Structures are given as C-alpha cells and as structure tokens.
Amino acid sequence: MKFKKLLVGILVLLGTFWLGSGQVAAASHIESATNTVVNSGASPVKVYSDPECTQYSGKTLDTTITHWRVLRNLVRDTGGILAFDLGHHQWVKGTEVFIQLAQPDKENHMGILEAYSAGRQVPIYDSPQLWHMTGQLDPTISHWAIIRYAIFSSGAAFLDRVDLGANQWVNAKDVDIIRTSFHFDANVPLVDRTGRVTGAITRSGQYKVFGTTTIQGETYVNLGNDSQWTNFKNARP
C-alpha cells in the first residue's frame, strides 16, 4: 500500500512538472527583431545559450560595449520581452538589458520632475540591473533629482530604473516618479495640506505639477495653489 501511494505521488509530481513545462513553453514564442538595439549599461550581463536563459554559457557581455543589436526576441504571449538574441545563440535576459538607458535631455521630452521617496529607506543599487545593493536612501530627504533612467520598452509610459546620482540606482517601483504634468479625470478631489477637501477637478485633462508632498501618509501633487493638492494615485502620464 505504501509503495502504491509513493508511486502515485511520483506520477502526480511528474505530471505537474510536465504540465508546468508545457505551460511555460506555450506562454512564449520567438520573433525576429527589426532595428532593435539594447543597452547593457556597460555591465557584465550573463550570456545564455538558450532562449529561456537557463543554460549559462560561462560568459558575460563585454563591459567596454554598451549598445547591442538584437536579432531575435523571446516574447511572452501576453506581452513583454523575456530575452534577447544578440547573435550566435547569445541570449540575455530581458530584465538585464534596456531598450533605453539615457539622461533626461535638455528639452525634457520625458517630462521628468523628480523622484519622491516620502522619507522611505529605499534600497540603492550600483547598476540598473539591481544586482548589488549598496545602501538605502537617506530618510531625511524625500525629493531626488533623476540623473539617468532606464526602461524596458520603447513605448513605456513609466520609467523602470532611475539613477539619483553617482550610480545610485533604485527600482522606480520603490519611489514615486513625478512628472512635470499628469492627466487627471474630472471630479477627482482637491485638498489642502491638512487633507481637508477644498473642491474637485472640474474638467478631465493634463495638469501641470508644481510640487509634491505627503498628506495623511500618501503622496499628493500640487496643481496650483496650496488648496489644490490631489492624490498621486489618481495621476496618469
């Protein structure tokens, strides 16, 4: 009886593994890339010999080169690139190279105002890949200039990594990325610095941002005078 139960258990595990593997394979596909270049940030990104990036080749990308032409992509069926083929079966993970890694230009086409940490002790890393944590942001400071940014998609509405100076990279999900303007819908409440409701946005549209603060534990942006603060969670780029 014990042997029978053990055999059944093994078969169940094997079946689960087979189904799981099938699901992984069915969830992605390879596509040719056209005029795609990725940026490694001069980091020693690991190179794999298979699209799933499970077979490490023992090599890393040349750190004297930043830009790499892509031949093929491993694409998730529901969207998003999982890996890039840089030629000769040199695959790299999609989370370790970037479609764009740049400084904000003089015209500030990305519309970047600041990164707002709200006094949180956010982890700092020495590269946009977030491999090695080097410390935490000073909790006495909340407003940070963005020196560089990195994004995974050319059409990204949001930044994925931001450098706050001297290679102090943070995950953009750990801070609030404040733009020079945001879209807000009509009827979104406006408050003063105490959180008292003073009115509401009358018309849906793009509004200039004049500042950022914390009100009742949440991030708010200023749309005009000191009675026109609105919750950052209602903002859209």
Side-chain angles (χ1 to χ4, degrees), residues 4 13 31 64-65 79 81 95 107 125 130 132 134 160 170 194 196 204 206 208 211 222:
K4 184 177 180 180
L13 285 173
E31 292 181 351
T64 65
I65 301 173
I81 297 175
T95 54
E107 290 75 24
Y125 301 85
L130 310 183
H132 309 115
T134 58
D160 294 293
V170 301
T194 68
R196 181 181 63 87
S204 298
Q206 202 78 7
K208 186 175 180 179
N222 184 250

Side-chain angles (χ1 to χ4, degrees), residues 143-164:
H143 304 273
W144 303 87
I146 295 175
I147 307 303
R148 289 185 294 172
Y149 61 86
I151 57 178
F152 291 125
S153 170
S154 58
F158 303 97
L159 309 185
D160 294 293
R161 308 281 192 262
V162 291
D163 177 11
L164 306 183

Side-chain angles (χ1 to χ4, degrees), residues 41-107:
S43 295
V45 175
K46 287 184 176 181
V47 175
Y48 299 85
S49 57
D50 64 313
E52 291 75 21
C53 294
T54 59
Q55 300 172 28
Y56 176 44
S57 68
K59 300 178 181 179
T60 59
L61 294 182
D62 186 340
T63 56
T64 65
I65 301 173
T66 56
H67 293 78
W68 304 84
R69 187 169 297 282
V70 178
L71 300 183
R72 296 182 296 169
N73 303 323
L74 179 67
V75 181
R76 184 184 293 109
D77 288 347
T78 55
I81 297 175
L82 299 172
F84 297 96
D85 177 12
L86 306 183
H88 304 290
H89 298 287
Q90 296 183 100
W91 289 90
V92 294
K93 293 181 179 179
T95 54
E96 295 188 349
V97 292
F98 304 92
I99 293 295
Q100 190 174 5
L101 197 162
Q103 296 176 318
D105 55 32
K106 292 181 180 179
E107 290 75 24

Side-chain angles (χ1 to χ4, degrees), residues 189-198 214-216 220 226 229:
L190 297 170
V191 303
D192 61 19
R193 282 183 178 266
T194 68
R196 181 181 63 87
V197 175
T198 58
T214 300
I215 298 175
Q216 297 177 354
Y220 277 70
D226 215 31
W229 294 88

